[in-house]
């Protein structure tokens, strides 16, 4: 099996070590996706991960493997709806990017160095260790204990064990010679941007849901994965459709999810999901976030 970057290079016809080793003629997929840009294939890969059709296999090199849902989709030739990324024209970089989390930029740069060292040691992309969002949250809140680090978005028990020590050490060392900065509280949790409109497939899911069909019924009738239906409904909420808490969660469920997010940190899906014992998946937690942050 290959990592996502290697798969993308084979599909786009890049001259990868894997292809050179096995020979172009032995890799049937070599170059079949050269009509699409590398970023587009990477986006598809991330969508397949989000939908649970593929997963990162355990081990040093973070390769991909099919899940049971992925195998079932292949066997039954199930149609899969993916979110198409918006093409944004490249602009000259200005001071900060829109929506970027305000933080201690000097500490952020040091944390990026720590991340790169860890990634190089494991021969994985830097984002596998932590995203820039997670690093900026660290450089904003200055966690110096495991319990504080646990509240950073993307930190679950595994990453707490594997990576907390080097990052906490870097932050503690940084604070020995510098003072903590303070930041506007509003910037830590910007309001969710409202979707302008729904596409045809999302609108059809919404129509059926508002007519009384359950999520499982809609998924079965439309031939979609359950997670895809959840994604459609989350998009509908984000677009301003007046769906209610009661349509998705009981008061007890709402309270326990809210408590998990409170303990794990605001919108730390990884931490909240683990605290909830895997009782809810990311798609259900996205619905919760959409309802909690709608304007």
């Amino acid at each position: 099996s290959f990592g996502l970057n290697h798969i993308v290079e084979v599909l786009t016809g890049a001259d990868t070590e894997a292809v050179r080793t096995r020979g172009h003629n032995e890799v049937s997929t070599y170059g079949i996706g050269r009509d699409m840009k590398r970023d587009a294939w990477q986006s598809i890969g991330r969508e397949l991960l989000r939908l649970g059709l593929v997963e990162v296999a355990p081990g040093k090199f973070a390769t991909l493997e099919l899940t049971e849902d992925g195998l079932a989709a292949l066997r039954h030739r199930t149609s899969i709806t993916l979110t198409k990324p918006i093409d944004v024209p490249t602009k000259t970089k200005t001071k900060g990017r829109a929506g970027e989390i305000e933080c201690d930029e000097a500490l952020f740069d040091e944390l990026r160095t720590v991340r790169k060292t860890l990634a190089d040691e494991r021969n994985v992309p830097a984002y596998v260790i932590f995203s820039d969002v997670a690093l900026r949250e660290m450089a904003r809140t200055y966690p110096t204990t495991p319990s504080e680090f646990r509240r950073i978005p993307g930190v679950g028990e595994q990453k707490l064990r594997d990576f907390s020590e080097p990052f906490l050490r870097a932050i503690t060392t940084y604070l020995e010679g510098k003072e903590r900065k303070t930041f506007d509280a509003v910037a830590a949790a910007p309001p969710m941007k409202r979707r302008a409109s729904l596409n045809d497939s999302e609108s059809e899911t919404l129509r059926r849901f508002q007519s009384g069909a359950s999520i499982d019924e809609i998924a079965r009738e439309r031939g979609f994965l359950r997670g895809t239906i959840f994604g459609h409904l989350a998009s509908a909420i984000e677009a301003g459709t007046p769906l209610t808490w009661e349509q998705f969660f009981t008061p007890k469920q709402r309270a326990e999810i809210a408590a998990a997010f409170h303990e794990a940190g605001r919108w730390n899906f990884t931490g909240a999901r683990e605290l909830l014992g895997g009782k809810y998946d990311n798609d259900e937690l996205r619905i919760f976030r959409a309802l909690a942050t709608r304007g």
Side-chain angles (χ1 to χ4, degrees), residues 239-255:
T241 304
L243 299 180
T244 67
W245 287 102
E246 291 72 24
Q247 289 174 287
F248 298 96
F249 304 105
T250 65
K252 180 180 177 181
Q253 290 173 327
R254 180 179 175 182

PDB file of all heavy atoms in Angstrom, residues 239-255:
ATOM      1  N   ALA A 239     -26.275  26.617   5.831  1.00  0.00           N
ATOM      2  CA  ALA A 239     -26.860  27.523   4.846  1.00  0.00           C
ATOM      3  C   ALA A 239     -28.052  28.285   5.403  1.00  0.00           C
ATOM      4  O   ALA A 239     -28.641  29.114   4.711  1.00  0.00           O
ATOM      5  CB  ALA A 239     -27.290  26.743   3.601  1.00  0.00           C
ATOM      6  N   GLY A 240     -28.410  27.998   6.672  1.00  0.00           N
ATOM      7  CA  GLY A 240     -29.494  28.744   7.299  1.00  0.00           C
ATOM      8  C   GLY A 240     -30.822  28.028   7.377  1.00  0.00           C
ATOM      9  O   GLY A 240     -31.821  28.616   7.828  1.00  0.00           O
ATOM     10  N   THR A 241     -30.896  26.766   6.972  1.00  0.00           N
ATOM     11  CA  THR A 241     -32.147  26.013   7.079  1.00  0.00           C
ATOM     12  C   THR A 241     -32.506  25.816   8.557  1.00  0.00           C
ATOM     13  O   THR A 241     -31.660  25.380   9.342  1.00  0.00           O
ATOM     14  CB  THR A 241     -32.007  24.632   6.414  1.00  0.00           C
ATOM     15  OG1 THR A 241     -31.592  24.815   5.055  1.00  0.00           O
ATOM     16  CG2 THR A 241     -33.332  23.882   6.428  1.00  0.00           C
ATOM     17  N   PRO A 242     -33.726  26.125   8.959  1.00  0.00           N
ATOM     18  CA  PRO A 242     -34.091  26.081  10.386  1.00  0.00           C
ATOM     19  C   PRO A 242     -34.351  24.666  10.898  1.00  0.00           C
ATOM     20  O   PRO A 242     -35.462  24.353  11.348  1.00  0.00           O
ATOM     21  CB  PRO A 242     -35.347  26.954  10.451  1.00  0.00           C
ATOM     22  CG  PRO A 242     -35.978  26.779   9.103  1.00  0.00           C
ATOM     23  CD  PRO A 242     -34.827  26.674   8.121  1.00  0.00           C
ATOM     24  N   LEU A 243     -33.361  23.788  10.845  1.00  0.00           N
ATOM     25  CA  LEU A 243     -33.485  22.472  11.456  1.00  0.00           C
ATOM     26  C   LEU A 243     -33.254  22.618  12.960  1.00  0.00           C
ATOM     27  O   LEU A 243     -32.585  23.549  13.409  1.00  0.00           O
ATOM     28  CB  LEU A 243     -32.473  21.507  10.839  1.00  0.00           C
ATOM     29  CG  LEU A 243     -32.623  21.269   9.323  1.00  0.00           C
ATOM     30  CD1 LEU A 243     -31.569  20.295   8.817  1.00  0.00           C
ATOM     31  CD2 LEU A 243     -34.024  20.758   8.996  1.00  0.00           C
ATOM     32  N   THR A 244     -33.785  21.694  13.741  1.00  0.00           N
ATOM     33  CA  THR A 244     -33.776  21.847  15.195  1.00  0.00           C
ATOM     34  C   THR A 244     -32.937  20.777  15.877  1.00  0.00           C
ATOM     35  O   THR A 244     -32.672  19.709  15.306  1.00  0.00           O
ATOM     36  CB  THR A 244     -35.206  21.781  15.753  1.00  0.00           C
ATOM     37  OG1 THR A 244     -35.723  20.443  15.561  1.00  0.00           O
ATOM     38  CG2 THR A 244     -36.106  22.788  15.051  1.00  0.00           C
ATOM     39  N   TRP A 245     -32.555  21.066  17.116  1.00  0.00           N
ATOM     40  CA  TRP A 245     -31.821  20.089  17.926  1.00  0.00           C
ATOM     41  C   TRP A 245     -32.593  18.784  18.044  1.00  0.00           C
ATOM     42  O   TRP A 245     -32.019  17.686  17.975  1.00  0.00           O
ATOM     43  CB  TRP A 245     -31.579  20.656  19.325  1.00  0.00           C
ATOM     44  CG  TRP A 245     -30.555  21.740  19.400  1.00  0.00           C
ATOM     45  CD1 TRP A 245     -30.776  23.079  19.502  1.00  0.00           C
ATOM     46  CD2 TRP A 245     -29.121  21.586  19.414  1.00  0.00           C
ATOM     47  NE1 TRP A 245     -29.577  23.769  19.568  1.00  0.00           N
ATOM     48  CE2 TRP A 245     -28.561  22.872  19.526  1.00  0.00           C
ATOM     49  CE3 TRP A 245     -28.279  20.468  19.344  1.00  0.00           C
ATOM     50  CZ2 TRP A 245     -27.190  23.085  19.564  1.00  0.00           C
ATOM     51  CZ3 TRP A 245     -26.907  20.666  19.386  1.00  0.00           C
ATOM     52  CH2 TRP A 245     -26.366  21.960  19.483  1.00  0.00           C
ATOM     53  N   GLU A 246     -33.905  18.896  18.245  1.00  0.00           N
ATOM     54  CA  GLU A 246     -34.733  17.717  18.504  1.00  0.00           C
ATOM     55  C   GLU A 246     -34.775  16.756  17.328  1.00  0.00           C
ATOM     56  O   GLU A 246     -35.085  15.577  17.497  1.00  0.00           O
ATOM     57  CB  GLU A 246     -36.169  18.161  18.849  1.00  0.00           C
ATOM     58  CG  GLU A 246     -36.317  18.873  20.190  1.00  0.00           C
ATOM     59  CD  GLU A 246     -35.728  20.280  20.180  1.00  0.00           C
ATOM     60  OE1 GLU A 246     -35.625  20.880  19.075  1.00  0.00           O
ATOM     61  OE2 GLU A 246     -35.370  20.774  21.268  1.00  0.00           O
ATOM     62  N   GLN A 247     -34.458  17.249  16.125  1.00  0.00           N
ATOM     63  CA  GLN A 247     -34.448  16.372  14.957  1.00  0.00           C
ATOM     64  C   GLN A 247     -33.222  15.473  14.911  1.00  0.00           C
ATOM     65  O   GLN A 247     -33.182  14.514  14.135  1.00  0.00           O
ATOM     66  CB  GLN A 247     -34.509  17.225  13.685  1.00  0.00           C
ATOM     67  CG  GLN A 247     -35.859  17.897  13.465  1.00  0.00           C
ATOM     68  CD  GLN A 247     -35.836  18.844  12.278  1.00  0.00           C
ATOM     69  OE1 GLN A 247     -35.249  19.926  12.330  1.00  0.00           O
ATOM     70  NE2 GLN A 247     -36.497  18.443  11.200  1.00  0.00           N
ATOM     71  N   PHE A 248     -32.231  15.752  15.760  1.00  0.00           N
ATOM     72  CA  PHE A 248     -30.987  14.983  15.725  1.00  0.00           C
ATOM     73  C   PHE A 248     -30.593  14.378  17.080  1.00  0.00           C
ATOM     74  O   PHE A 248     -30.020  13.283  17.119  1.00  0.00           O
ATOM     75  CB  PHE A 248     -29.842  15.877  15.239  1.00  0.00           C
ATOM     76  CG  PHE A 248     -30.021  16.410  13.858  1.00  0.00           C
ATOM     77  CD1 PHE A 248     -30.559  17.679  13.647  1.00  0.00           C
ATOM     78  CD2 PHE A 248     -29.674  15.652  12.751  1.00  0.00           C
ATOM     79  CE1 PHE A 248     -30.729  18.172  12.365  1.00  0.00           C
ATOM     80  CE2 PHE A 248     -29.839  16.137  11.467  1.00  0.00           C
ATOM     81  CZ  PHE A 248     -30.371  17.403  11.267  1.00  0.00           C
ATOM     82  N   PHE A 249     -30.860  15.088  18.154  1.00  0.00           N
ATOM     83  CA  PHE A 249     -30.363  14.651  19.456  1.00  0.00           C
ATOM     84  C   PHE A 249     -31.462  14.725  20.518  1.00  0.00           C
ATOM     85  O   PHE A 249     -32.303  15.639  20.502  1.00  0.00           O
ATOM     86  CB  PHE A 249     -29.198  15.548  19.920  1.00  0.00           C
ATOM     87  CG  PHE A 249     -28.058  15.627  18.943  1.00  0.00           C
ATOM     88  CD1 PHE A 249     -27.871  16.768  18.163  1.00  0.00           C
ATOM     89  CD2 PHE A 249     -27.176  14.558  18.781  1.00  0.00           C
ATOM     90  CE1 PHE A 249     -26.830  16.860  17.265  1.00  0.00           C
ATOM     91  CE2 PHE A 249     -26.123  14.629  17.875  1.00  0.00           C
ATOM     92  CZ  PHE A 249     -25.953  15.784  17.114  1.00  0.00           C
ATOM     93  N   THR A 250     -31.421  13.767  21.456  1.00  0.00           N
ATOM     94  CA  THR A 250     -32.260  13.878  22.639  1.00  0.00           C
ATOM     95  C   THR A 250     -31.601  14.883  23.583  1.00  0.00           C
ATOM     96  O   THR A 250     -30.412  15.193  23.432  1.00  0.00           O
ATOM     97  CB  THR A 250     -32.371  12.525  23.362  1.00  0.00           C
ATOM     98  OG1 THR A 250     -31.076  12.158  23.869  1.00  0.00           O
ATOM     99  CG2 THR A 250     -32.884  11.445  22.421  1.00  0.00           C
ATOM    100  N   PRO A 251     -32.328  15.415  24.562  1.00  0.00           N
ATOM    101  CA  PRO A 251     -31.698  16.330  25.527  1.00  0.00           C
ATOM    102  C   PRO A 251     -30.490  15.705  26.221  1.00  0.00           C
ATOM    103  O   PRO A 251     -29.487  16.387  26.467  1.00  0.00           O
ATOM    104  CB  PRO A 251     -32.838  16.624  26.513  1.00  0.00           C
ATOM    105  CG  PRO A 251     -34.076  16.475  25.699  1.00  0.00           C
ATOM    106  CD  PRO A 251     -33.795  15.335  24.767  1.00  0.00           C
ATOM    107  N   LYS A 252     -30.555  14.405  26.522  1.00  0.00           N
ATOM    108  CA  LYS A 252     -29.434  13.724  27.176  1.00  0.00           C
ATOM    109  C   LYS A 252     -28.219  13.679  26.251  1.00  0.00           C
ATOM    110  O   LYS A 252     -27.083  13.927  26.676  1.00  0.00           O
ATOM    111  CB  LYS A 252     -29.838  12.311  27.581  1.00  0.00           C
ATOM    112  CG  LYS A 252     -28.722  11.542  28.272  1.00  0.00           C
ATOM    113  CD  LYS A 252     -29.182  10.142  28.655  1.00  0.00           C
ATOM    114  CE  LYS A 252     -28.024   9.358  29.292  1.00  0.00           C
ATOM    115  NZ  LYS A 252     -28.449   7.975  29.661  1.00  0.00           N
ATOM    116  N   GLN A 253     -28.444  13.351  24.963  1.00  0.00           N
ATOM    117  CA  GLN A 253     -27.339  13.308  24.005  1.00  0.00           C
ATOM    118  C   GLN A 253     -26.715  14.689  23.832  1.00  0.00           C
ATOM    119  O   GLN A 253     -25.488  14.823  23.795  1.00  0.00           O
ATOM    120  CB  GLN A 253     -27.845  12.785  22.658  1.00  0.00           C
ATOM    121  CG  GLN A 253     -28.207  11.320  22.657  1.00  0.00           C
ATOM    122  CD  GLN A 253     -28.853  10.893  21.355  1.00  0.00           C
ATOM    123  OE1 GLN A 253     -29.571  11.675  20.707  1.00  0.00           O
ATOM    124  NE2 GLN A 253     -28.625   9.655  20.952  1.00  0.00           N
ATOM    125  N   ARG A 254     -27.560  15.690  23.727  1.00  0.00           N
ATOM    126  CA  ARG A 254     -27.056  17.063  23.566  1.00  0.00           C
ATOM    127  C   ARG A 254     -26.196  17.463  24.753  1.00  0.00           C
ATOM    128  O   ARG A 254     -25.125  18.065  24.585  1.00  0.00           O
ATOM    129  CB  ARG A 254     -28.235  18.018  23.402  1.00  0.00           C
ATOM    130  CG  ARG A 254     -27.842  19.473  23.217  1.00  0.00           C
ATOM    131  CD  ARG A 254     -29.079  20.343  23.034  1.00  0.00           C
ATOM    132  NE  ARG A 254     -28.734  21.753  22.969  1.00  0.00           N
ATOM    133  CZ  ARG A 254     -29.623  22.741  22.854  1.00  0.00           C
ATOM    134  NH1 ARG A 254     -30.911  22.454  22.771  1.00  0.00           N
ATOM    135  NH2 ARG A 254     -29.215  24.005  22.802  1.00  0.00           N
ATOM    136  N   ALA A 255     -26.628  17.097  25.946  1.00  0.00           N
ATOM    137  CA  ALA A 255     -25.886  17.464  27.147  1.00  0.00           C
ATOM    138  C   ALA A 255     -24.544  16.741  27.226  1.00  0.00           C
ATOM    139  O   ALA A 255     -23.520  17.337  27.573  1.00  0.00           O
ATOM    140  CB  ALA A 255     -26.717  17.151  28.390  1.00  0.00           C
TER     141      ALA A 255
END
